[in-house]
Each structure stands twice: as C-alpha cells, then as structure tokens.
Amino acid sequence: METLAMHISNGIIDGPVAAVFAAFALAALTGCVLRGRRDLDDRLAPMAGLVAAFIFAVQMLNFPIFTAGVSGHLLGGALAAMLVGPWVGALCVSVVLVVQALVFGDGGVAMLGLNITNMALLGTAAAYVLIAVLLRVLPRTPAGLAVTGFVAAMLSVVVASQGFVLQYWLGGTTDLGGNLAGLAGTMAGVHLLIGIGEGLITATTVVTVAKVRPDLVYALRGLRPAAVPTVPAVGGVR
C-alpha cells in the first residue's frame, strides 16, 4: 500500500521520467509566478502566506481510511484555489511540498517534480475548473460555497491521484503485469475516500472565511458574473 501514497518516494518512478516532470513543474511554476503577480494586491499577498501556513499545519493531521488500511491528509489544492486563486494557490501548495520533502522527508527530493505536478498543479487546476463551473450554477451563499468547496476538493484529489497512475505507467520501477487499470481503480477508490475528508476541511474553512471576510475569498472576487449594463430611461419613463 506504500505505493499508493500521493507523496511519491524516491525509487518508485525512474530517473528520466522524474527529470521530465521536474522540468515541466519548473516551467509551470514559472508561469504561475508571472501570472500570479497580476493578482497580488494588499489582500491577496498576506492571504497567500496564511493559506500556505494553514495547509502546512493541517497536513500534519492524518485521518484514517479504515476500509483501505491507509490514512490521508489535506492536499490543499481546492482550498488554495478558492482563497487565493489557481496561480498563487499552486505556488502555495508547491512551497508546502518542498518544505515537507526537505525537512520532514515526506516524498522524495528527487520526486519533487512529480509530486508538485500531481498535487500543486494538477490538483489545483482541476479544483479551480470545478469551482468556476459550480459557482456559476450554485447560489453564492454559505451553502453554495460549502457544496462547491466539498465537491471541488473531493474530485481534485481523485484527479491528482490519476496523475500518479500516468507517471507510473511512464516510468514505474515495478512491473504491474499489465494491471494499470487495477492501479488506477485502486488509486481512485482510496483517494475518493480521502477526498471526503479533504472536502469537509475545505468547505468548513472557506465558509468560515467567507462569513467573516468575503472579500478575502478569491473565488467570489475572481468569478463575479458580468455586470448587467444599465439602460437609460427614454421618454421620461423610469
């Protein structure tokens, strides 16, 4: 079951594939830096630091998945996307992953490109797409935000887990005997359960922030519906 960890350890994926994803992650994060600079303002900059610190702290709390014999923790992609946007959010999760790998040995240092691709880039991107869709359908009430955060977080974890399946197919060091579909199904099932915990944490956190300071929730600011132009009165009729 150790191969099911989202934090890929050294030796699970071969060197050439790890190097390719490291280059991809570096290029993508460079794009996030360039694009995220346009979003940073006096509200988003300090919020980004708080989000990274919160994700780092909550990731220390593991919740058991008894049916799978493993434990999971917050990945943070959906939470970061809702609070600080996809570009800055991906950077926040990446910083957390780097610190975890270098200081706590959570995930191999040589596998950082793979882990950042899955959890910071793929997970955050998938979450924000879902957030953008759901917030155009659901009311922007606490209940609507809670449902959006829960669904986006839960499904983004599953999407991130399938990134690992792709990487293992490209350069896994253990022969699965052609049972890639079995690996994909196992990863999806386990991480769907982990995603439920992720969704509850994300929904609770975002709704709490929105009730106190809705202006700090990027999703509410960045996904506003287009304003309806006013039509001037004609012939004295208001």
Side-chain angles (χ1 to χ4, degrees), residues 43-73:
R43 289 176 295 182
L44 194 62
M47 191 64 177
L50 291 174
V51 167
F54 180 79
I55 292 173
F56 180 82
V58 177
Q59 282 196 1
M60 297 297 175
L61 305 176
N62 282 25
F63 44 86
I65 309 298
F66 297 107
T67 58
V70 297
S71 63
H73 62 68

PDB file of all heavy atoms in Angstrom, residues 43-73:
ATOM      1  N   ARG A  43      -4.587  42.528  -0.304  1.00  0.00           N
ATOM      2  CA  ARG A  43      -5.354  41.484   0.370  1.00  0.00           C
ATOM      3  C   ARG A  43      -4.810  40.094   0.062  1.00  0.00           C
ATOM      4  O   ARG A  43      -4.720  39.238   0.946  1.00  0.00           O
ATOM      5  CB  ARG A  43      -6.830  41.552  -0.066  1.00  0.00           C
ATOM      6  CG  ARG A  43      -7.586  42.749   0.461  1.00  0.00           C
ATOM      7  CD  ARG A  43      -9.004  42.777  -0.090  1.00  0.00           C
ATOM      8  NE  ARG A  43      -9.012  42.976  -1.552  1.00  0.00           N
ATOM      9  CZ  ARG A  43     -10.125  43.081  -2.271  1.00  0.00           C
ATOM     10  NH1 ARG A  43     -11.310  42.983  -1.680  1.00  0.00           N
ATOM     11  NH2 ARG A  43     -10.064  43.281  -3.571  1.00  0.00           N
ATOM     12  N   LEU A  44      -4.436  39.874  -1.192  1.00  0.00           N
ATOM     13  CA  LEU A  44      -4.050  38.527  -1.611  1.00  0.00           C
ATOM     14  C   LEU A  44      -2.658  38.140  -1.122  1.00  0.00           C
ATOM     15  O   LEU A  44      -2.418  36.977  -0.795  1.00  0.00           O
ATOM     16  CB  LEU A  44      -4.109  38.425  -3.137  1.00  0.00           C
ATOM     17  CG  LEU A  44      -4.047  37.003  -3.709  1.00  0.00           C
ATOM     18  CD1 LEU A  44      -5.232  36.184  -3.224  1.00  0.00           C
ATOM     19  CD2 LEU A  44      -4.037  37.042  -5.239  1.00  0.00           C
ATOM     20  N   ALA A  45      -1.741  39.101  -1.067  1.00  0.00           N
ATOM     21  CA  ALA A  45      -0.366  38.772  -0.666  1.00  0.00           C
ATOM     22  C   ALA A  45      -0.293  38.190   0.743  1.00  0.00           C
ATOM     23  O   ALA A  45       0.266  37.097   0.938  1.00  0.00           O
ATOM     24  CB  ALA A  45       0.517  40.015  -0.801  1.00  0.00           C
ATOM     25  N   PRO A  46      -0.846  38.866   1.757  1.00  0.00           N
ATOM     26  CA  PRO A  46      -0.789  38.244   3.095  1.00  0.00           C
ATOM     27  C   PRO A  46      -1.645  36.991   3.189  1.00  0.00           C
ATOM     28  O   PRO A  46      -1.322  36.061   3.940  1.00  0.00           O
ATOM     29  CB  PRO A  46      -1.316  39.353   4.020  1.00  0.00           C
ATOM     30  CG  PRO A  46      -2.088  40.264   3.142  1.00  0.00           C
ATOM     31  CD  PRO A  46      -1.436  40.214   1.815  1.00  0.00           C
ATOM     32  N   MET A  47      -2.735  36.949   2.410  1.00  0.00           N
ATOM     33  CA  MET A  47      -3.603  35.774   2.440  1.00  0.00           C
ATOM     34  C   MET A  47      -2.862  34.548   1.917  1.00  0.00           C
ATOM     35  O   MET A  47      -3.052  33.432   2.410  1.00  0.00           O
ATOM     36  CB  MET A  47      -4.849  36.034   1.600  1.00  0.00           C
ATOM     37  CG  MET A  47      -5.940  34.994   1.756  1.00  0.00           C
ATOM     38  SD  MET A  47      -6.606  34.974   3.445  1.00  0.00           S
ATOM     39  CE  MET A  47      -7.886  33.739   3.274  1.00  0.00           C
ATOM     40  N   ALA A  48      -1.999  34.739   0.925  1.00  0.00           N
ATOM     41  CA  ALA A  48      -1.235  33.618   0.367  1.00  0.00           C
ATOM     42  C   ALA A  48      -0.335  33.006   1.433  1.00  0.00           C
ATOM     43  O   ALA A  48      -0.223  31.775   1.538  1.00  0.00           O
ATOM     44  CB  ALA A  48      -0.403  34.095  -0.820  1.00  0.00           C
ATOM     45  N   GLY A  49       0.305  33.841   2.237  1.00  0.00           N
ATOM     46  CA  GLY A  49       1.138  33.331   3.319  1.00  0.00           C
ATOM     47  C   GLY A  49       0.333  32.572   4.351  1.00  0.00           C
ATOM     48  O   GLY A  49       0.756  31.515   4.832  1.00  0.00           O
ATOM     49  N   LEU A  50      -0.845  33.089   4.684  1.00  0.00           N
ATOM     50  CA  LEU A  50      -1.703  32.409   5.658  1.00  0.00           C
ATOM     51  C   LEU A  50      -2.197  31.073   5.123  1.00  0.00           C
ATOM     52  O   LEU A  50      -2.272  30.085   5.856  1.00  0.00           O
ATOM     53  CB  LEU A  50      -2.892  33.313   6.008  1.00  0.00           C
ATOM     54  CG  LEU A  50      -2.574  34.563   6.818  1.00  0.00           C
ATOM     55  CD1 LEU A  50      -3.816  35.420   6.961  1.00  0.00           C
ATOM     56  CD2 LEU A  50      -2.028  34.193   8.195  1.00  0.00           C
ATOM     57  N   VAL A  51      -2.541  31.028   3.829  1.00  0.00           N
ATOM     58  CA  VAL A  51      -3.026  29.791   3.226  1.00  0.00           C
ATOM     59  C   VAL A  51      -1.929  28.727   3.233  1.00  0.00           C
ATOM     60  O   VAL A  51      -2.173  27.560   3.579  1.00  0.00           O
ATOM     61  CB  VAL A  51      -3.531  30.045   1.790  1.00  0.00           C
ATOM     62  CG1 VAL A  51      -3.737  28.736   1.033  1.00  0.00           C
ATOM     63  CG2 VAL A  51      -4.836  30.828   1.831  1.00  0.00           C
ATOM     64  N   ALA A  52      -0.714  29.112   2.846  1.00  0.00           N
ATOM     65  CA  ALA A  52       0.397  28.152   2.842  1.00  0.00           C
ATOM     66  C   ALA A  52       0.656  27.626   4.249  1.00  0.00           C
ATOM     67  O   ALA A  52       0.864  26.422   4.443  1.00  0.00           O
ATOM     68  CB  ALA A  52       1.649  28.809   2.277  1.00  0.00           C
ATOM     69  N   ALA A  53       0.640  28.521   5.238  1.00  0.00           N
ATOM     70  CA  ALA A  53       0.877  28.094   6.618  1.00  0.00           C
ATOM     71  C   ALA A  53      -0.246  27.176   7.109  1.00  0.00           C
ATOM     72  O   ALA A  53       0.003  26.183   7.804  1.00  0.00           O
ATOM     73  CB  ALA A  53       0.990  29.320   7.528  1.00  0.00           C
ATOM     74  N   PHE A  54      -1.484  27.499   6.740  1.00  0.00           N
ATOM     75  CA  PHE A  54      -2.616  26.687   7.171  1.00  0.00           C
ATOM     76  C   PHE A  54      -2.557  25.297   6.549  1.00  0.00           C
ATOM     77  O   PHE A  54      -2.767  24.288   7.237  1.00  0.00           O
ATOM     78  CB  PHE A  54      -3.925  27.379   6.787  1.00  0.00           C
ATOM     79  CG  PHE A  54      -5.156  26.610   7.191  1.00  0.00           C
ATOM     80  CD1 PHE A  54      -5.613  26.647   8.497  1.00  0.00           C
ATOM     81  CD2 PHE A  54      -5.858  25.867   6.264  1.00  0.00           C
ATOM     82  CE1 PHE A  54      -6.735  25.941   8.885  1.00  0.00           C
ATOM     83  CE2 PHE A  54      -6.989  25.152   6.633  1.00  0.00           C
ATOM     84  CZ  PHE A  54      -7.428  25.192   7.949  1.00  0.00           C
ATOM     85  N   ILE A  55      -2.271  25.237   5.245  1.00  0.00           N
ATOM     86  CA  ILE A  55      -2.174  23.935   4.574  1.00  0.00           C
ATOM     87  C   ILE A  55      -1.059  23.104   5.198  1.00  0.00           C
ATOM     88  O   ILE A  55      -1.224  21.898   5.457  1.00  0.00           O
ATOM     89  CB  ILE A  55      -1.926  24.116   3.062  1.00  0.00           C
ATOM     90  CG1 ILE A  55      -3.165  24.727   2.397  1.00  0.00           C
ATOM     91  CG2 ILE A  55      -1.574  22.790   2.402  1.00  0.00           C
ATOM     92  CD1 ILE A  55      -2.956  25.088   0.942  1.00  0.00           C
ATOM     93  N   PHE A  56       0.077  23.740   5.464  1.00  0.00           N
ATOM     94  CA  PHE A  56       1.207  23.024   6.078  1.00  0.00           C
ATOM     95  C   PHE A  56       0.813  22.465   7.441  1.00  0.00           C
ATOM     96  O   PHE A  56       1.122  21.307   7.765  1.00  0.00           O
ATOM     97  CB  PHE A  56       2.398  23.960   6.221  1.00  0.00           C
ATOM     98  CG  PHE A  56       3.606  23.319   6.832  1.00  0.00           C
ATOM     99  CD1 PHE A  56       4.467  22.566   6.063  1.00  0.00           C
ATOM    100  CD2 PHE A  56       3.878  23.470   8.185  1.00  0.00           C
ATOM    101  CE1 PHE A  56       5.584  21.960   6.625  1.00  0.00           C
ATOM    102  CE2 PHE A  56       4.984  22.864   8.749  1.00  0.00           C
ATOM    103  CZ  PHE A  56       5.839  22.113   7.971  1.00  0.00           C
ATOM    104  N   ALA A  57       0.109  23.260   8.240  1.00  0.00           N
ATOM    105  CA  ALA A  57      -0.269  22.820   9.585  1.00  0.00           C
ATOM    106  C   ALA A  57      -1.291  21.695   9.531  1.00  0.00           C
ATOM    107  O   ALA A  57      -1.166  20.686  10.242  1.00  0.00           O
ATOM    108  CB  ALA A  57      -0.823  24.003  10.381  1.00  0.00           C
ATOM    109  N   VAL A  58      -2.310  21.842   8.673  1.00  0.00           N
ATOM    110  CA  VAL A  58      -3.377  20.845   8.631  1.00  0.00           C
ATOM    111  C   VAL A  58      -2.885  19.545   8.009  1.00  0.00           C
ATOM    112  O   VAL A  58      -3.398  18.469   8.334  1.00  0.00           O
ATOM    113  CB  VAL A  58      -4.600  21.408   7.868  1.00  0.00           C
ATOM    114  CG1 VAL A  58      -5.703  20.356   7.760  1.00  0.00           C
ATOM    115  CG2 VAL A  58      -5.142  22.637   8.581  1.00  0.00           C
ATOM    116  N   GLN A  59      -1.892  19.613   7.127  1.00  0.00           N
ATOM    117  CA  GLN A  59      -1.359  18.381   6.545  1.00  0.00           C
ATOM    118  C   GLN A  59      -0.690  17.497   7.584  1.00  0.00           C
ATOM    119  O   GLN A  59      -0.466  16.301   7.340  1.00  0.00           O
ATOM    120  CB  GLN A  59      -0.381  18.696   5.414  1.00  0.00           C
ATOM    121  CG  GLN A  59      -1.058  19.075   4.109  1.00  0.00           C
ATOM    122  CD  GLN A  59      -0.117  19.011   2.918  1.00  0.00           C
ATOM    123  OE1 GLN A  59       1.043  18.668   3.048  1.00  0.00           O
ATOM    124  NE2 GLN A  59      -0.623  19.333   1.747  1.00  0.00           N
ATOM    125  N   MET A  60      -0.374  18.055   8.731  1.00  0.00           N
ATOM    126  CA  MET A  60       0.205  17.245   9.799  1.00  0.00           C
ATOM    127  C   MET A  60      -0.842  16.346  10.470  1.00  0.00           C
ATOM    128  O   MET A  60      -0.496  15.416  11.203  1.00  0.00           O
ATOM    129  CB  MET A  60       0.841  18.152  10.858  1.00  0.00           C
ATOM    130  CG  MET A  60       1.998  18.980  10.330  1.00  0.00           C
ATOM    131  SD  MET A  60       3.356  17.928   9.766  1.00  0.00           S
ATOM    132  CE  MET A  60       4.468  19.155   9.093  1.00  0.00           C
ATOM    133  N   LEU A  61      -2.125  16.646  10.227  1.00  0.00           N
ATOM    134  CA  LEU A  61      -3.203  15.870  10.842  1.00  0.00           C
ATOM    135  C   LEU A  61      -3.696  14.828   9.851  1.00  0.00           C
ATOM    136  O   LEU A  61      -4.303  15.160   8.839  1.00  0.00           O
ATOM    137  CB  LEU A  61      -4.354  16.804  11.247  1.00  0.00           C
ATOM    138  CG  LEU A  61      -3.976  17.978  12.169  1.00  0.00           C
ATOM    139  CD1 LEU A  61      -5.192  18.865  12.385  1.00  0.00           C
ATOM    140  CD2 LEU A  61      -3.437  17.462  13.496  1.00  0.00           C
ATOM    141  N   ASN A  62      -3.437  13.585  10.125  1.00  0.00           N
ATOM    142  CA  ASN A  62      -3.876  12.484   9.266  1.00  0.00           C
ATOM    143  C   ASN A  62      -5.196  11.915   9.764  1.00  0.00           C
ATOM    144  O   ASN A  62      -5.404  11.788  10.975  1.00  0.00           O
ATOM    145  CB  ASN A  62      -2.825  11.367   9.224  1.00  0.00           C
ATOM    146  CG  ASN A  62      -1.674  11.708   8.306  1.00  0.00           C
ATOM    147  OD1 ASN A  62      -1.395  12.874   8.066  1.00  0.00           O
ATOM    148  ND2 ASN A  62      -1.000  10.707   7.796  1.00  0.00           N
ATOM    149  N   PHE A  63      -6.078  11.580   8.823  1.00  0.00           N
ATOM    150  CA  PHE A  63      -7.322  10.914   9.194  1.00  0.00           C
ATOM    151  C   PHE A  63      -7.321   9.526   8.555  1.00  0.00           C
ATOM    152  O   PHE A  63      -6.974   9.358   7.394  1.00  0.00           O
ATOM    153  CB  PHE A  63      -8.554  11.724   8.764  1.00  0.00           C
ATOM    154  CG  PHE A  63      -8.489  12.288   7.382  1.00  0.00           C
ATOM    155  CD1 PHE A  63      -8.886  11.549   6.275  1.00  0.00           C
ATOM    156  CD2 PHE A  63      -8.023  13.581   7.165  1.00  0.00           C
ATOM    157  CE1 PHE A  63      -8.823  12.075   5.001  1.00  0.00           C
ATOM    158  CE2 PHE A  63      -7.963  14.114   5.893  1.00  0.00           C
ATOM    159  CZ  PHE A  63      -8.362  13.361   4.806  1.00  0.00           C
ATOM    160  N   PRO A  64      -7.668   8.492   9.324  1.00  0.00           N
ATOM    161  CA  PRO A  64      -7.577   7.116   8.818  1.00  0.00           C
ATOM    162  C   PRO A  64      -8.680   6.779   7.830  1.00  0.00           C
ATOM    163  O   PRO A  64      -9.809   7.258   7.943  1.00  0.00           O
ATOM    164  CB  PRO A  64      -7.713   6.268  10.092  1.00  0.00           C
ATOM    165  CG  PRO A  64      -8.517   7.124  11.018  1.00  0.00           C
ATOM    166  CD  PRO A  64      -8.126   8.551  10.718  1.00  0.00           C
ATOM    167  N   ILE A  65      -8.334   5.982   6.823  1.00  0.00           N
ATOM    168  CA  ILE A  65      -9.299   5.419   5.885  1.00  0.00           C
ATOM    169  C   ILE A  65      -9.362   3.926   6.199  1.00  0.00           C
ATOM    170  O   ILE A  65      -8.591   3.125   5.685  1.00  0.00           O
ATOM    171  CB  ILE A  65      -8.866   5.659   4.420  1.00  0.00           C
ATOM    172  CG1 ILE A  65      -8.543   7.131   4.194  1.00  0.00           C
ATOM    173  CG2 ILE A  65      -9.936   5.173   3.464  1.00  0.00           C
ATOM    174  CD1 ILE A  65      -9.696   8.069   4.418  1.00  0.00           C
ATOM    175  N   PHE A  66     -10.280   3.566   7.096  1.00  0.00           N
ATOM    176  CA  PHE A  66     -10.278   2.215   7.656  1.00  0.00           C
ATOM    177  C   PHE A  66     -10.536   1.151   6.591  1.00  0.00           C
ATOM    178  O   PHE A  66      -9.995   0.062   6.647  1.00  0.00           O
ATOM    179  CB  PHE A  66     -11.328   2.107   8.765  1.00  0.00           C
ATOM    180  CG  PHE A  66     -11.050   3.005   9.930  1.00  0.00           C
ATOM    181  CD1 PHE A  66     -11.812   4.142  10.145  1.00  0.00           C
ATOM    182  CD2 PHE A  66     -10.005   2.722  10.794  1.00  0.00           C
ATOM    183  CE1 PHE A  66     -11.548   4.973  11.222  1.00  0.00           C
ATOM    184  CE2 PHE A  66      -9.731   3.556  11.877  1.00  0.00           C
ATOM    185  CZ  PHE A  66     -10.507   4.686  12.086  1.00  0.00           C
ATOM    186  N   THR A  67     -11.364   1.467   5.596  1.00  0.00           N
ATOM    187  CA  THR A  67     -11.687   0.462   4.581  1.00  0.00           C
ATOM    188  C   THR A  67     -10.505   0.168   3.669  1.00  0.00           C
ATOM    189  O   THR A  67     -10.486  -0.857   2.994  1.00  0.00           O
ATOM    190  CB  THR A  67     -12.875   0.932   3.729  1.00  0.00           C
ATOM    191  OG1 THR A  67     -12.540   2.192   3.109  1.00  0.00           O
ATOM    192  CG2 THR A  67     -14.111   1.105   4.574  1.00  0.00           C
ATOM    193  N   ALA A  68      -9.523   1.085   3.611  1.00  0.00           N
ATOM    194  CA  ALA A  68      -8.377   0.891   2.721  1.00  0.00           C
ATOM    195  C   ALA A  68      -7.090   0.599   3.474  1.00  0.00           C
ATOM    196  O   ALA A  68      -6.076   0.272   2.869  1.00  0.00           O
ATOM    197  CB  ALA A  68      -8.185   2.131   1.844  1.00  0.00           C
ATOM    198  N   GLY A  69      -7.109   0.741   4.791  1.00  0.00           N
ATOM    199  CA  GLY A  69      -5.910   0.469   5.566  1.00  0.00           C
ATOM    200  C   GLY A  69      -4.843   1.530   5.432  1.00  0.00           C
ATOM    201  O   GLY A  69      -3.668   1.264   5.690  1.00  0.00           O
ATOM    202  N   VAL A  70      -5.205   2.730   5.034  1.00  0.00           N
ATOM    203  CA  VAL A  70      -4.249   3.825   4.895  1.00  0.00           C
ATOM    204  C   VAL A  70      -4.818   5.050   5.590  1.00  0.00           C
ATOM    205  O   VAL A  70      -5.932   5.042   6.098  1.00  0.00           O
ATOM    206  CB  VAL A  70      -3.961   4.147   3.404  1.00  0.00           C
ATOM    207  CG1 VAL A  70      -3.320   2.973   2.718  1.00  0.00           C
ATOM    208  CG2 VAL A  70      -5.243   4.555   2.684  1.00  0.00           C
ATOM    209  N   SER A  71      -4.043   6.116   5.612  1.00  0.00           N
ATOM    210  CA  SER A  71      -4.523   7.388   6.146  1.00  0.00           C
ATOM    211  C   SER A  71      -4.293   8.465   5.116  1.00  0.00           C
ATOM    212  O   SER A  71      -3.465   8.329   4.215  1.00  0.00           O
ATOM    213  CB  SER A  71      -3.803   7.724   7.461  1.00  0.00           C
ATOM    214  OG  SER A  71      -2.416   7.898   7.236  1.00  0.00           O
ATOM    215  N   GLY A  72      -5.047   9.535   5.243  1.00  0.00           N
ATOM    216  CA  GLY A  72      -4.916  10.642   4.292  1.00  0.00           C
ATOM    217  C   GLY A  72      -4.840  11.967   5.026  1.00  0.00           C
ATOM    218  O   GLY A  72      -5.083  12.048   6.235  1.00  0.00           O
ATOM    219  N   HIS A  73      -4.482  12.997   4.300  1.00  0.00           N
ATOM    220  CA  HIS A  73      -4.464  14.336   4.878  1.00  0.00           C
ATOM    221  C   HIS A  73      -4.809  15.339   3.792  1.00  0.00           C
ATOM    222  O   HIS A  73      -4.912  14.997   2.609  1.00  0.00           O
ATOM    223  CB  HIS A  73      -3.099  14.662   5.499  1.00  0.00           C
ATOM    224  CG  HIS A  73      -1.962  14.658   4.519  1.00  0.00           C
ATOM    225  ND1 HIS A  73      -1.822  15.593   3.526  1.00  0.00           N
ATOM    226  CD2 HIS A  73      -0.910  13.821   4.382  1.00  0.00           C
ATOM    227  CE1 HIS A  73      -0.743  15.346   2.823  1.00  0.00           C
ATOM    228  NE2 HIS A  73      -0.170  14.267   3.321  1.00  0.00           N
TER     229      HIS A  73
END
